[in-house]
Amino acid sequence: MARLFGTDGVRGLANGELTPELALSLAASAARVLAAHDRSHRPVAVVGRDPRASGEMLEAAVVAGLASAGADVLRLGVQPTPAVAYLVGELNADLGVMISASHNPMPDNGIKLFAAGGHKLPDGIEDEIEAGLGAETTRPIGAEIGRVSDVEDALDRYAGHLLGSTPHPLTGLRVVVDCANGAASVVAPEVYRKAGAEVIAIHAEPDGININDGCGSTHLEQLQATVAEHGADLGIAHDGDADRCLAVDGVGEVVDGDQIMAILALAMADAGELADNTLVATVMSNLGLHLAMREHGVTVRTTAVGDRYVLEELRAGGYTLGGEQSGHVVLPGHATTGDGLLTALRLMSRVASSGRSLAELAGVMRRLPQVLVNVRVADKAAVADSDAVREAVDAVEAELGEEGRVLLRPSGTEQLIRVMVEAPAQHTAQTAADRLAGVVSAVS
């Protein structure tokens, strides 16, 4: 049986794979596991959700499951994922539950759990929770049943935290923010205005159905058009739960997560905030990021794909900046998880304080053309052990030299090998990727 928890919680089609029964059982098991690990007090859990329609149903199930197992529940309502992580610590809770499928389409949903302090749950605790699903237990009765209350000032607390983490006012900036009709639709425009920016908000009217629908960080076209229409300095795009941030500069060019990290790394280095002059990124980050950081004396530590691996490396090394090309950026000095609003505020602060445009700042890094080819194979292990594949990769790497890169990565869920090539020219990258894909396909 496949593990229930993925790299980012439990996800699936709401009312399909992810039923209210599963949500209730998962929440109850989480409360029991927490109580077993610390019997000094009754567990307290905070619960937030994004605005998709199924979140209402799943929130009710999660709250019922927690209370039925004896945990007190603080209901946060619609919140960004990073707000829930922050409020776990702010409210001294033992557990945080976020109901969201992030950038996924509206019919999907998910349940993400945070430990005390707002950190991701260790794998071992997730395994205990999964093992306890549907277990026959003695349920609390009477006064031992958990109580449920609402935190009326949850968004205000989170907004105050964000503003306190913004190093420079945004006075003079005109910004367009695409809220993806998601969890940041209220708080993002409000915080950016309070920080001093003139804000034009789009896709900030969630109705439970329109989240991520042709908008947000996966669909930047309207943001680009609106930046041009209003003569804005830049645009910010969030996803449905606002743990990501991508940007558009004043001339409509996309500024991705790698470029955002490059800008923030140099800003933090200037301010003495970049621990060990080190940035943490995944193997999928563009080679251009590595070359730019090398030129400015910043070390890049590389992890496997997935924000949990970035977080592990950040915590292990005590580093202060890391993230992914997708715009999932983590600043451990201010947040325990990726926070799209915090990222946007720090990015805009750099623009405002430097007096330089976002296009100019992003120019510190040249994105190399990156080609990804997925090759279906019969046996991923055979490909990994193949001398022919290894020789082909060595030959392409020798041709590209320091101005290119090859990455072969097995899919974690399918019989696929992902062949990625970066090179100074698109044609060069495509030709090399196709060539390697042919060798991989022949071996399998």
Side-chain angles (χ1 to χ4, degrees), residues 330-405:
V330 186
L331 291 145
H334 304 278
T336 57
T337 189
D339 189 330
L341 282 77
L342 176 63
T343 301
L345 286 164
R346 301 284 291 197
L347 180 66
M348 290 188 285
S349 290
R350 181 61 164 176
V351 173
S353 64
S354 69
R356 300 160 68 192
S357 69
L358 179 57
E360 186 180 355
L361 291 172
V364 70
M365 174 192 150
R366 177 192 167 213
R367 274 185 302 196
L368 272 67
Q370 190 178 72
V371 172
L372 179 66
V373 178
N374 291 323
V375 184
R376 189 160 294 280
V377 297
D379 185 351
K380 291 183 286 189
V383 174
D385 292 337
S386 167
D387 289 338
V389 170
R390 194 173 303 112
E391 288 169 6
V393 169
D394 289 345
V396 171
E397 287 181 332
E399 292 168 13
L400 295 175
E402 290 192 354
E403 292 193 334
R405 183 168 70 111

Side-chain angles (χ1 to χ4, degrees), residues 35 73 228 233 270 287 313 336 383:
V73 182
D233 296 290
D270 287 348
L287 178 60
E313 184 68 20
T336 57
V383 174

Side-chain angles (χ1 to χ4, degrees), residues 197-209:
E198 177 189 346
V199 178
I200 298 107
I202 61 174
H203 302 125
E205 298 180 354
D207 60 10
I209 308 298

Side-chain angles (χ1 to χ4, degrees), residues 106-127:
M106 183 278 294
D108 291 345
N109 218 322
I111 297 174
K112 182 187 294 188
L113 304 179
F114 292 100
H119 298 283
K120 287 203 170 190
L121 283 183
D123 289 350
I125 298 295
E126 288 182 344
D127 291 341

Side-chain angles (χ1 to χ4, degrees), residues 1 4-5 10 21-30 32 126-136:
M1 178 179 168
L4 181 65
F5 285 91
V10 178
E21 292 84 359
L22 175 58
L24 188 148
S25 184
L26 187 68
S29 182
R32 289 193 296 268
E126 288 182 344
D127 291 341
E128 286 185 52
I129 292 170
E130 186 169 340
L133 291 178
E136 289 295 325

